[in-house]
């Protein structure tokens, strides 16, 4: 009864304050909701996919979602500390992916990768993480540290400039052709669960992503460094007065975010096999969309956003576009990802879990 009265009061308050913009947004909400509901009903009633197909879509959605989450964590960690987006973050992932590929190719040439792929995978990931952390530290030194005490858009512009420097430097060094990750011996097989065949590399990539995410959460919530990072995120000046070395925390935050991006680049190469120097653009937007979707600055939100985005991209085409008879619906997979970014910015810019801000800034 109390909730019904409160709802009625909120509705009357909305009716009293409404403008034509509110009506337009409400109409867009209703159109989007109608499109989603009718698409899902038509897609399910078409009955074109078996239960195994849906399971396969969901499993792949979790795998690609975990990679998006690793990228999104880098965005959200830097934003949580500096209140700025690191637009060069996606190219850090590209560099990590190439570093992992070179190490994997060297191990394959020596015949070691075929004999013990699972044994050498941590070494390949460590190479990608180290390269990602080094490049990220360079970005922090060049694009952010000189403007640490300046309130301007200069860091953002510098970071955008660095994306071109990194991409075209990689283009000059590695060429524009696609480069392939080598085979990983017995990991090239698949696991059969009923009628569902799951590639072993995808299972290992998902497990590695979960371990990386858990380790990062452990660092952020159970260590002195994580405590300092959260203190700087809440109030940089108060943290400095409490004895926290803010500059050191910022450097380590960039290093951690870069390491996560490097790991995600290696896992991407493990799952999709092919990489190229401009891969960071689309994946960076997906990672940024995941961070916005979950709530920028919110670490659990970045995880949730990545998983939701991954599942939406793999399940969405079959659910929404098949029902409307769209030919080759999976070629429109990116439409769902980018559409979700636009919708969340319009209707819930604070994200699913909300942006985590200090009370005095909220």
């Amino acid at each position: 009864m109390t909730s019904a009265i409160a709802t009625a009061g909120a509705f009357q308050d909305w009716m009293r304050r409404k403008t034509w913009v509110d009506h337009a947004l409400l109409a867009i909400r209703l159109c989007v909701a109608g499109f989603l509901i009718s698409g899902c009903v038509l897609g399910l009633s078409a009955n074109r996919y078996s239960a195994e197909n849906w399971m396969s879509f969901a499993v792949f959605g979790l795998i690609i979602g975990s990679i998006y989450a690793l990228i999104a964590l880098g965005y959200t960690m830097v934003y949580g500390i500096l209140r700025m987006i690191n637009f060069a973050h996606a190219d850090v992932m590209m560099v990590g992916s190439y570093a992992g590929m070179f190490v994997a190719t060297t191990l394959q040439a020596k015949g070691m990768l075929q004999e013990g792929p699972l044994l050498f995978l941590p070494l390949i990931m460590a190479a990608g993480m180290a390269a990602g952390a080094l490049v990220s530290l360079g970005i922090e030194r060049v694009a952010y540290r000189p403007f640490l005490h300046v309130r301007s858009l200069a860091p953002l512009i510098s970071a955008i400039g660095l994306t071109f420097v990194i991409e075209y430097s990689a283009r000059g060094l590695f060429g524009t052709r696609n480069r392939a990750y080598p085979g990983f011996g017995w990991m090239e097989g698949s696991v059969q669960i009923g009628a569902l065949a799951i590639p072993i590399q995808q299972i290992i990539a998902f497990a590695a992503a979960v371990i990386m995410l858990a380790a990062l959460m452990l660092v952020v919530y159970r260590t002195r460094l994580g405590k300092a990072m959260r203190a700087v995120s809440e109030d940089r000046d108060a943290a400095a007065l409490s004895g926290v070395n803010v500059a050191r925390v910022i450097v380590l935050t960039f290093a951690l975010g870069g390491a996560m991006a490097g790991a995600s680049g290696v896992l991407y190469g493990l799952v999709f096999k092919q990489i190229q120097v401009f891969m960071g653009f689309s994946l960076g937007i997906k990672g940024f969309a995941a961070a916005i979707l979950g709530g920028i600055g919110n670490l659990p939100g970045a995880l949730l956003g990545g998983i939701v985005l991954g599942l939406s991209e793999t399940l969405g085409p079959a659910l929404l576009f098949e029902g409307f008879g769209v030919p080759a619906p999976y070629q429109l997979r990116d439409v769902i990802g980018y559409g979700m970014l636009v919708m969340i910015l319009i209707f819930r810019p604070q994200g699913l879990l909300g942006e985590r801000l200090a009370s005095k800034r909220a």
Side-chain angles (χ1 to χ4, degrees):
M1 185 64 182
T2 305
S3 62
I5 294 173
T7 304
F11 178 73
Q12 290 174 355
D13 184 57
W14 182 84
M15 289 294 290
R16 189 172 57 255
R17 294 186 295 107
K18 68 182 184 305
T19 64
W20 68 269
V21 176
D22 297 310
H23 287 291
L25 290 176
L26 179 61
I28 294 174
R29 281 191 179 96
L30 293 175
C31 289
V32 171
F35 173 76
L36 293 176
I37 294 172
S38 58
C40 290
V41 170
L42 291 172
L44 291 173
S45 60
N47 200 23
R48 294 177 182 171
Y49 298 99
S50 64
E52 289 78 16
N53 293 138
W54 290 112
M55 283 293 295
S56 176
F57 296 153
V59 168
F60 190 69
L62 288 174
I63 293 165
I64 191 66
S66 62
I67 295 176
Y68 290 157
L70 283 175
I71 302 172
L73 282 170
Y75 281 112
T76 210
M77 286 173 67
V78 171
Y79 181 84
I81 296 291
L82 296 177
R83 303 295 168 202
M84 291 180 184
I85 301 297
N86 177 14
F87 283 108
H89 183 68
D91 293 304
V92 175
M93 185 211 68
M94 178 270 293
V95 173
S97 186
Y98 269 86
M101 184 204 67
F102 288 133
V103 173
T105 304
T106 303
L107 291 172
Q108 187 205 32
K110 295 180 180 298
M112 300 166 70
L113 195 60
Q114 290 80 3
E115 294 177 2
L118 196 56
L119 183 65
F120 290 105
L121 182 60
L123 177 62
I124 296 168
M125 290 196 64
M129 293 171 68
L134 285 174
V135 174
S136 192
L137 287 175
I139 292 170
E140 186 273 337
R141 183 67 184 86
V142 173
Y144 287 92
R145 194 182 302 181
F147 311 105
L148 188 60
H149 302 292
V150 178
R151 293 187 180 277
S152 72
L153 295 177
L156 297 181
I157 297 169
S158 298
I160 292 172
L162 275 179
T163 64
F164 292 104
V165 172
I166 296 171
E167 286 180 2
Y168 284 91
S169 297
R171 178 185 177 184
L173 289 170
F174 311 136
T176 55
R177 66 186 176 89
N178 290 344
R179 306 291 290 267
Y181 262 62
F184 279 70
W186 58 265
M187 284 169 54
E188 299 291 321
S190 60
V191 174
Q192 198 73 27
I193 303 176
L196 178 64
I198 305 175
I200 295 175
Q201 288 186 348
Q202 293 186 6
I203 297 173
I204 292 176
F206 179 68
V210 171
I211 292 171
M212 297 297 301
L213 294 171
L216 180 63
M217 288 297 171
L218 196 64
V219 169
V220 172
Y221 292 105
R222 290 289 185 272
T223 65
R224 288 175 61 86
L225 171 62
K227 189 176 181 179
M229 289 168 62
R230 285 182 283 128
V232 174
S233 175
E234 289 294 319
D235 193 318
R236 191 191 304 177
D237 295 332
L241 288 174
S242 303
V244 175
N245 188 334
V246 174
R248 178 174 174 271
V249 169
I250 292 173
V251 169
L252 292 176
T253 301
F254 269 86
L256 271 176
M260 291 296 109
S264 66
V266 173
L267 296 181
Y268 179 88
L270 191 65
V271 172
F272 291 96
K273 287 298 183 184
Q274 289 195 336
I275 59 174
Q276 47 99 6
V277 293
F278 297 113
M279 61 188 281
F281 177 76
S282 61
L283 287 171
I285 292 180
K286 299 289 182 64
F288 181 64
I292 295 292
L293 183 63
I296 190 77
N298 190 322
L299 291 181
L303 299 179
L304 178 64
I307 298 299
V308 169
L309 184 61
L311 289 173
S312 300
E313 282 192 354
T314 54
L315 294 172
L319 271 176
L320 296 179
F321 298 133
E322 284 279 1
F324 291 111
V326 175
Y330 273 89
Q331 293 186 4
L332 300 177
R333 191 181 72 173
D334 289 342
V335 172
I336 294 178
Y338 299 138
M340 289 180 68
L341 175 60
V342 173
M343 289 296 109
I344 202 74
L345 285 173
I346 292 175
F347 297 115
R348 192 173 169 79
Q350 72 271 32
L352 295 176
L353 298 187
E355 181 182 356
R356 181 161 293 175
L357 294 174
S359 57
K360 74 175 188 178
R361 286 194 296 256

